[in-house]
Amino acid sequence: MKLKNKIQKKDIKELILLISSFILGSIFTIILLVFSPLNLMLNSNNGTTITKDKTKIYEKSSLSSAISKVEDAVITIMNDGDAIGSGFIYKVDNKYAYILTNEHVITGKDKGKISLSNDIEKESTVLGSDSYLDIAVLRTTKNDIKKVATLSSSDKTNIGDVVFTIGTPVDKEYKNTVTSGILSGKDRGVKTKISNYSNKDIVMNVLQIDASINSGNSGGPLLNANGEVIGICTLKITEDNVEGLGFAIPIETAKNHLKELENKKDIKHPTLNIETEDVEDKYEYKNNNKTLDYGVIIKKINKNSILEKTNIKENDVITKINNKKIRNYLYLNSELYKYNIGTTIDLTYIHNGSENKIKVTLTSSE
């Protein structure tokens, strides 16, 4: 009898030990799932992974859903059967589909052939373009159009955000090529040639990206992780010692002028109507005994200039527009071209060694 009781007690202890081990093992497994990288895979949801502190991390591998939203809105612009650029459909009405692209892709053309994502080719008409902003609007019939891209805002993006492009780099065989990266910089000033003027330079205000873009990507959309357009791919730096420096026109630049371009009207750009000299071209320019290395010196205020009725005088130096430093005359124009006629801006200038600020309402030279 005593032996039987000892055996029963031993069995109970082993059972308790077994149950305890099971419970501890379960707890340990749960801890592993919650606090280890395994949790990232088990908690993935719509392109995000959720960490233990509920932080959502975007995974590049899940861009497929964003791509599917927009890939059929991307088109290839053709020339004699070859791909010369990209574009995207941003609007459809009762009869037509409207396409955004770069001006330098369609320079000198009134009409052109485009190819849809499913290889259907269509004729298009150039409605309007602007070489300073490097944007153009084309129109084609709405039949066979499957998707329309959603225009968002680059203002809502942050440096480090995931971006991607869709376009036709190099050759039509590579139609709808997707490349991805991050937004590397905003409000960059990049010097380039105006397509209509071989010897005329301009500084473009652009977004910087490290996503790969090549010849033929020009005019294609730059997209955020939701598949919404935040820019128009335009150029890259191609020097031998440079890699991953691509640029896109902020979509706001195009949105500000769509009505004019759709209605075949020329865009009127703001001007101060002054003659200037760049501070950086002078050997030395002193302001309160400190060397000034940026700004434009006003050499002449022309008739009908908006500065005629202000306190600004000849030999004063314009240094900022809306608190953005003006490096030289090219940057002055670049900043002015951001705004529409009738917009009021803050103009910072130096007069007799003192910094001043006034508000002026922009007009054109016409």
Side-chain angles (χ1 to χ4, degrees), residues 102-110 129 131 134 195-196:
N102 288 146
E103 188 278 338
H104 76 257
V105 171
I106 53 85
T107 299
K109 293 181 172 59
D110 296 320
S129 64
S131 56
D134 198 20
S195 60
N196 287 339

Side-chain angles (χ1 to χ4, degrees), residues 3 11 30 131 217 283 293 330 343:
L3 180 61
D11 290 341
I30 292 170
S131 56
N217 277 114
Y283 179 73
D293 60 359
L330 290 178
T343 303

Side-chain angles (χ1 to χ4, degrees), residues 10 100 145 163 167 313 350 354:
K10 183 180 179 182
L100 264 170
I145 301 301
V163 295
K313 306 298 181 185
I350 294 172
S354 299

Side-chain angles (χ1 to χ4, degrees), residues 75-78 99 112-116 120-122 124 140:
I75 60 98
T76 302
I77 297 173
M78 314 291 291
I99 299 162
K113 187 168 287 186
I114 63 170
S115 176
L116 305 182
I120 292 176
E121 294 188 356
K122 295 168 62 69
S124 69
T140 188

Side-chain angles (χ1 to χ4, degrees), residues 164-184:
F164 69 99
T165 72
I166 305 180
T168 306
V170 183
D171 187 271
K172 63 182 179 180
E173 297 299 321
Y174 300 107
K175 177 185 293 185
N176 275 30
T177 291
V178 178
T179 60
S180 66
I182 61 169
L183 184 64
S184 306

Side-chain angles (χ1 to χ4, degrees), residues 272-297:
L272 298 181
N273 200 12
I274 57 176
E275 296 176 21
T276 67
E277 181 180 7
D278 295 338
V279 166
E280 64 184 5
D281 288 341
K282 295 183 74 67
Y283 179 73
E284 189 177 70
Y285 188 90
K286 295 289 187 180
N287 173 41
N288 285 342
N289 296 317
K290 294 180 180 179
T291 300
L292 187 66
D293 60 359
Y294 66 94
V296 293
I297 305 165

Side-chain angles (χ1 to χ4, degrees), residues 19-60:
I19 293 172
S20 299
S21 298
F22 176 78
I23 294 172
L24 289 172
S26 299
I27 293 172
F28 182 70
T29 301
I30 292 170
I31 290 172
L32 275 178
L33 289 175
V34 173
F35 294 101
S36 75
L38 245 142
N39 181 54
L40 296 177
M41 292 184 291
L42 294 177
N43 286 290
S44 63
N45 181 26
N46 294 328
T48 61
T49 55
I50 304 171
T51 63
K52 63 182 180 182
D53 60 354
K54 306 300 182 184
T55 302
K56 291 186 177 181
I57 301 174
Y58 188 81
E59 290 186 317
K60 285 187 179 182

